[in-house]
Amino acid sequence: MNDTLHVAGVYIKTVMKSWFQYKVDAVLRSLAVFLRESTGIVVIYFTLLEFDNLNGWNMHEMLFLFSLLFLTYGILIIFFTGLRDFSGTVRNGTFDRFILRPRGLLFQLILCDADWFAAIGHGGLGIVLFVVSAGKVGIVWNAVNIIYYVFAVLGSTLIQGAIFLFLATLNIYLIQTNSLKTLLYSNGRRFAGYPISIFSKAIQICMIYVVPFAFVNYFPAQFLLRKEDMSLYPEFYMYLTPVVGVILYILAYVFWRYSIRHYKSTGN
């Protein structure tokens, strides 16, 4: 265990040094990510200034919904960048190096890289949105709500990590899955920025049961905000985010362990 922790520490230290070697560039690139993602929030802000609310969700409630999405992605990308970019790792043959090393493959992939610019940009925006909105949406921050929020963030991160792991595993069979990643993850994440109750029934089913982004931010936000549109769904969904995260990640991991036995090098 001590040896594993030591290796993990070396990985993390090395990756951070590589990303922050040029400090000014690191700051500017992190800021660029922050500003790029902020543009969508600005559009929502001015839209709600005109229309007051979106299916009963006011401006600050929408910002709180977005804060969960950005904060969890900021945490996610620290640990799962290697899975996000796994398509390139397989395609150029780099994955063969991981196989030859005396360490677990998933252990190496999780620690081999971390997109710190995206983590700071997205995570920073999530924190800003949380600070701006959390005190204005009527949430009583007692012990129960704080504990729930922490577990919801962890569960939301695991849900997205499971999606990344599932998509990464598909690269073993398909080599290139960027289009599928855009369809299932990137587009799903765009929908998740809004209350799912505003979408058609088909999209709601996809976001709850197929690519469960509804459990990343909508249902956790409902536990804390108790909006009227929650009546469209079973009440216990508000409590399931950590459970869904653990179950999905276990299933994705089993799929990974099974599929890795069928890996064939691209020969590059």
Side-chain angles (χ1 to χ4, degrees):
M1 177 60 73
N2 289 337
D3 183 54
T4 300
L5 292 175
H6 173 71
V7 173
V10 172
Y11 263 115
I12 293 169
K13 185 177 180 180
T14 303
V15 169
M16 290 188 71
K17 280 186 175 180
S18 68
W19 279 85
F20 295 103
Q21 182 177 5
Y22 304 103
K23 294 180 176 58
V24 174
D25 179 68
V27 170
L28 292 177
R29 291 179 68 177
S30 299
L31 181 61
V33 174
F34 180 93
L35 294 175
R36 182 193 69 199
E37 300 300 327
S38 297
T39 55
I41 305 300
V42 172
V43 170
I44 294 297
Y45 176 83
F46 283 108
T47 300
L48 289 177
L49 282 180
E50 183 70 25
F51 295 102
D52 187 47
N53 70 80
L54 184 63
N55 198 31
W57 291 69
N58 64 37
M59 183 190 305
H60 288 105
E61 290 165 343
M62 287 291 299
L63 295 181
F64 185 78
L65 192 65
F66 270 104
S67 73
L68 278 166
L69 195 61
F70 284 108
L71 179 61
T72 54
Y73 185 82
I75 299 171
L76 168 82
I77 209 61
I78 293 175
F79 299 101
F80 294 98
T81 298
L83 295 178
R84 183 196 66 181
D85 302 335
F86 189 63
S87 177
T89 304
V90 170
R91 193 170 60 254
N92 62 29
T94 305
F95 188 53
D96 295 3
R97 300 179 190 174
F98 292 98
I99 294 175
L100 297 174
R101 295 170 182 167
R103 291 289 172 182
L105 294 174
L106 198 55
F107 173 83
Q108 294 182 71
L109 283 171
I110 288 175
L111 293 175
C112 73
D113 202 1
D115 189 345
W116 283 99
F117 302 150
I120 294 172
H122 286 259
L125 180 57
I127 292 171
V128 169
L129 293 176
F130 177 83
V131 171
V132 169
S133 63
K136 300 179 180 179
V137 291
I139 299 174
V140 178
W141 290 104
N142 53 33
V144 172
N145 285 341
I146 292 172
I147 292 171
Y148 173 87
Y149 184 84
V150 171
F151 276 95
V153 167
L154 294 175
S156 299
T157 304
L158 270 182
I159 290 171
Q160 295 174 82
I163 296 171
F164 271 19
L165 180 55
F166 175 76
L167 292 172
T169 305
L170 288 179
N171 284 284
I172 294 171
Y173 303 100
L174 305 176
I175 308 299
Q176 178 67 272
T177 61
N178 286 339
S179 297
L180 190 60
K181 181 171 66 178
T182 299
L183 176 66
L184 294 180
Y185 185 83
S186 300
N187 289 337
R189 189 166 177 266
R190 291 191 182 97
F191 281 115
Y194 303 89
I196 65 170
S197 58
I198 70 172
F199 299 118
S200 67
K201 198 67 177 178
I203 292 177
Q204 292 182 44
I205 291 173
C206 286
M207 294 188 68
I208 296 174
Y209 304 109
V210 182
V211 186
F213 265 104
F215 291 97
V216 170
N217 63 339
Y218 178 75
F219 289 128
Q222 285 286 14
F223 177 89
L224 297 165
L225 301 178
R226 307 288 173 150
K227 300 296 296 178
E228 292 182 2
D229 56 340
M230 185 61 208
S231 61
L232 299 171
Y233 316 102
E235 185 177 351
F236 70 91
Y237 280 12
M238 297 187 295
Y239 305 91
L240 291 184
T241 291
V243 178
V244 171
V246 171
I247 292 174
L248 275 184
Y249 195 81
I250 290 173
L251 291 175
Y253 181 70
V254 170
F255 180 45
W256 164 266
R257 288 297 300 268
Y258 169 79
S259 299
I260 206 66
R261 293 179 292 179
H262 303 281
Y263 171 73
K264 295 180 179 179
S265 174
T266 58
N268 293 332

